[in-house]
Amino acid sequence: MQFGADTAAKGVRERSFMLTCAGRRIPGLLWTPSDNDSPRPVVMLGHGAAGSKRQDYILALARGLVRHRGLSACAIDGPVHGERRADGGTVPGLDFADFVARWSSDPDLIDDMVADWRATLDAVQALAEITPGPCGYWGLSMGTIFGLPLVAAESRVAVAVLGLMGFAGPTKDRFAADAAAVTCPLLFLVQWDDELFARDRAFSLFEALGSTDKRMHVSPGVHAEVPAEEFEASGRLLSSHLTV
Amino acid sequence: MQFGADTAAKGVRERSFMLTCAGRRIPGLLWTPSDNDSPRPVVMLGHGAAGSKRQDYILALARGLVRHRGLSACAIDGPVHGERRADGGTVPGLDFADFVARWSSDPDLIDDMVADWRATLDAVQALAEITPGPCGYWGLSMGTIFGLPLVAAESRVAVAVLGLMGFAGPTKDRFAADAAAVTCPLLFLVQWDDELFARDRAFSLFEALGSTDKRMHVSPGVHAEVPAEEFEASGRLLSSHLTV
């Protein structure tokens, strides 16, 4: 784990890092308190398609978890996103279709990303300022496409926020097995007017999740219009299961 | 408004009262702080079928609103419930079917109960310890059967919690007009496995609600298994719109 830029603002330290896993470079960010080194549980934040580890809502969520919820947070760029892109993420215009093309053509895409997350979790939890063991996962849309299999596979994930996704897309068949294997407490978010993933398919995914401690919050609006209160609800749930 | 029993416990004063509206006796309860007379907004609590103004979750909700949310609360018995029953509510065994029989046969049932609630609100808001104007409504199942038309008709209702109900039953046709006329912020609760009102009908009702500021929380379990966290979410929403 190689650290790069190290900055701090309003009580939050942000470090960039680079890992490798099976030859893949994994660019990431880690957020911890700037004034307190006692170990805290970490929440993995999975960004959406056409976003990156540094998109607005990931930054806001990470900073809020550190400032108000007694947690730390980390994020990594998804495949074909951010610093993993050939252009380093500097060319605007990557959209959902670019991701879907890769999602449709690369049978290893999901398992590779799950491996990347687990390598990241291993590295981050080896740090003195991160609590080993129970951690959280938060990711919507593409963050659920990768997050659902991750939460199903990784027993350290003790609480999760998923959503903006249903039984749909090239990997929908594997989602059935993944969903059944998810057993941690979780919040599932749905946008009523989601134009990318129809709500009925999201409802079916919610039903299939193996967790007994689960709840679904539905808000009016299209895919990208998740309201601020659901970020608050996310922080509340993550914190309630990871802090004393 | 005639007050009866007046008790206090753990900071909450509970007064029973009796009103009349168009010849109907309306037995109610009012909860306010026992140690503070400064005016507070009131939340009307509508109980469910086979319950009463004094059923466990109404008492718990009322006390929580007074103790932790800066609010006051009131509840009245629904028709054929509690002290409105010929037996005074002392005979156990009234069940949902008894209510449905009346719901099916009395075309004035809903409008009468709406009038009873409005008379109650007038009387309660005339008290020095209750803020006039904006108030809240909370009611699930039968509490929504009566509450949806009330919230639609009564402009003082500034925030509402409804749910465990859909486009169903003898009065489902009027619900369409009522739903469109509801414009206040609201939380709508659904139980995924609701055996009385199918979730698809509840989803349709949620969609038809005229409010732009609305959210739906869905929990696993049957009709009566609303989890504690949704009572917390109720208190949070009511308080956020009624207190400064």
Side-chain angles (χ1 to χ4, degrees), chain A residues 81-135:
Chain A
H81 285 84
E83 293 181 73
R84 297 226 220 190
R85 293 178 61 190
D87 62 25
T90 57
V91 180
L94 176 75
D95 63 16
F96 192 73
D98 296 317
F99 163 69
V100 171
R102 177 74 179 273
W103 189 20
S104 306
S105 63
D106 180 354
D108 297 323
L109 184 74
I110 302 258
D111 289 329
D112 285 353
M113 185 63 176
V114 169
D116 289 356
W117 265 124
R118 299 178 91 166
T120 302
L121 187 60
D122 289 344
V124 163
Q125 289 197 339
L127 301 171
E129 61 271 34
I130 305 296
T131 315
C135 63

Side-chain angles (χ1 to χ4, degrees), chain A residues 192 199 203 206-207 212 214-218 220 229-230 236, chain B residues 192 199 203 206-207 212 214-218 220 229-230 236:
Chain A
W192 184 261
R199 59 177 175 261
F203 294 163
F206 173 71
E207 183 166 39
T212 52
K214 61 184 177 181
R215 71 279 299 142
M216 176 167 67
H217 289 184
V218 183
E229 74 185 75
E230 296 307 339
R236 199 179 301 123
Chain B
W192 183 262
R199 60 177 175 261
F203 294 163
F206 173 72
E207 181 166 40
T212 53
K214 62 184 177 181
R215 71 280 298 140
M216 176 166 67
H217 290 185
V218 184
E229 74 184 76
E230 297 307 338
R236 199 180 299 122

Side-chain angles (χ1 to χ4, degrees), chain B residues 49-161:
Chain B
S52 77
K53 64 185 180 308
R54 186 171 274 300
Q55 71 185 117
D56 287 353
Y57 68 75
I58 295 289
L59 290 176
L61 192 51
R63 291 166 180 163
L65 293 176
V66 172
R67 282 185 197 133
H68 307 302
R69 302 291 182 182
L71 295 167
S72 59
C74 65
I76 61 175
D77 284 325
V80 302
H81 285 84
E83 293 181 74
R84 298 227 220 189
R85 293 179 61 189
D87 63 23
T90 56
V91 179
L94 176 74
D95 64 15
F96 192 73
D98 296 314
F99 163 69
V100 170
R102 178 75 179 272
W103 187 21
S104 305
S105 61
D106 180 354
D108 297 322
L109 183 74
I110 302 260
D111 289 329
D112 285 352
M113 185 64 176
V114 169
D116 289 356
W117 264 125
R118 299 177 90 168
T120 303
L121 187 60
D122 290 343
V124 163
Q125 289 198 339
L127 301 171
E129 60 270 36
I130 304 297
T131 314
C135 64
Y137 180 82
W138 187 99
L140 306 178
S141 193
M142 190 183 80
T144 286
I145 292 171
F146 295 128
L148 179 69
L150 171 66
V151 175
E154 177 50 67
S155 63
R156 284 174 287 183
V157 177
V159 54
V161 180

